[in-house]
Each structure stands twice: as structure tokens, then as C-alpha cells.
Amino acid sequence: SYSSWDFFNQYRQTRDIILYDQRGTGYSEPGFCPELNQVLSPMDYSGDDPEQVRNRAVTAIQDCREEMLNRGVDFSRYNSATSVRDLNDLRKTLGYQQWNILGGSYSARLALTAMRDTPEGIRSVILDSANPPNVRNWVQLPRNLTRSLNLIFEQCKNDERCRAAFPELKPNVYN
């Protein structure tokens, strides 16, 4: 679990650390299709065409949506704005006048939303690998990852030392 990471030990000496599972994630109930992680995570490294990856992701997400609707989940209560209000309510419930927020990737997006929507009580914010609100990450990720990997493969192929050290780089990455 995150709470046992060495990264947090230095902060634990002088700060409380609060880990927040937003609605539908982690230990929150109802959970949103935990099996999606099994479907979505490995797809980025499949070597498949980005359109194929996107289509598989869309199908898995549509299946999850259908399952959640059948369970009576109200999707209007699962969004960044609601999560930020939950986060602020958590701060108040725990009795903190102010706190510091550390967010990476989507959590950085959530921190940006908190800074905009509920700035009271936020002392400082650290954004790591920000995923800004204007980026459609799940739509762009497969294409961007494929492009980045192809650039690495091409650069390695054109560099004698890299080519000698990693003669089968592309097949090894995808296998």
C-alpha cells in the first residue's frame, strides 16, 4: 500500500499523511469495475495499433458503465468537482484548518481543481506529472505512447552503440 512507501517516511516525522480514495476507487464503495485495471494497464504496452488499443479500452469502459448502471450507480456524483468537494469535506471532518496536497497524474488534476473550486484550507500544493484538465488523457495516451516508443526504437536503430546493445529492442519491449 502507498502508506508503507519509503517516500512517505521522511514526511511522517513532521506531518500527518492522509491517503484519499475518491469515489469509485480503492476501498470506496461502490467500486467501479476493478477489473478495468487488468484490461487497461497492459494495453499500453501491447504494441498494437493505437486505434485497436482505443477500441478495446472503449469496449471495456462501456461494459463497466453498463454494469454500474445495472447496479443503480448515479454517474452525476462521480466527477472531479464532486471529488474535490469530498476532499474538502474530509479536511474539515478531520479537523484540519489547512493542509498540503500532493498529487500526481490524475491526482494533480484533482489538486488543480481543488485550487480553483475550494481554495480555502489549502496551504500548499505539489503537482507531480500533472494531468491538466484540458488533456483528454485516455483518448491521447495510446497514440502518444506509441509515438514515443517508435521514436526510441528509431533512435536506437540509428545509433551504433544502442543498436549493438539492444538489437531486438522493439520485439523485447512488446513481448
Side-chain angles (χ1 to χ4, degrees):
S1 97
Y2 292 115
S3 61
S4 63
W5 285 6
D6 285 339
F7 171 81
F8 290 117
N9 287 336
Q10 62 184 320
Y11 300 107
R12 216 177 254 116
Q13 306 303 315
T14 59
R15 302 272 190 236
D16 294 333
I17 297 175
I18 300 160
L19 301 176
Y20 166 67
D21 283 340
Q22 97 187 66
R23 295 178 189 203
T25 68
Y27 294 107
S28 69
E29 289 291 335
F32 267 43
C33 309
E35 68 276 3
L36 273 180
N37 286 337
Q38 304 301 318
V39 174
L40 297 177
S41 295
M43 290 193 325
D44 295 337
Y45 305 102
S46 66
D48 291 341
D49 176 85
E51 190 65 24
Q52 292 172 313
V53 172
R54 188 182 91 57
N55 289 340
R56 279 198 308 268
V58 166
T59 298
I61 291 166
Q62 286 172 338
D63 291 347
C64 175
R65 180 182 185 278
E66 197 62 37
E67 177 188 330
M68 295 286 93
L69 285 172
N70 289 336
R71 289 172 54 187
V73 171
D74 177 3
F75 286 113
S76 70
R77 300 180 65 184
Y78 293 85
N79 54 57
S80 296
T82 301
S83 293
V84 163
R85 288 191 301 273
D86 288 348
L87 189 60
N88 195 44
D89 288 344
L90 176 63
R91 177 188 61 79
K92 291 176 185 178
T93 299
L94 293 174
Y96 292 98
Q97 294 298 312
Q98 288 189 316
W99 63 3
N100 307 302
I101 298 175
L102 166 64
S105 191
Y106 176 75
S107 297
R109 179 187 293 216
L110 199 61
L112 289 166
T113 305
M115 291 167 61
R116 182 191 66 205
D117 294 355
T118 59
E120 66 281 351
I122 298 175
R123 182 176 163 270
S124 68
V125 175
I126 298 171
L127 303 176
D128 180 12
S129 306
N131 184 352
N134 63 323
V135 172
R136 297 177 60 213
N137 196 45
W138 284 109
V139 173
Q140 296 169 343
L141 183 69
R143 180 182 63 230
N144 291 343
L145 179 62
T146 299
R147 180 181 172 278
S148 297
L149 288 174
N150 285 336
L151 286 170
I152 292 169
F153 300 148
E154 188 65 29
Q155 289 172 359
C156 187
K157 186 173 86 176
N158 293 331
D159 181 276
E160 185 178 327
R161 287 185 10 209
C162 183
R163 190 174 57 246
F166 305 101
E168 300 292 323
L169 180 60
K170 185 174 183 175
N172 287 339
V173 166
Y174 290 129
N175 290 329

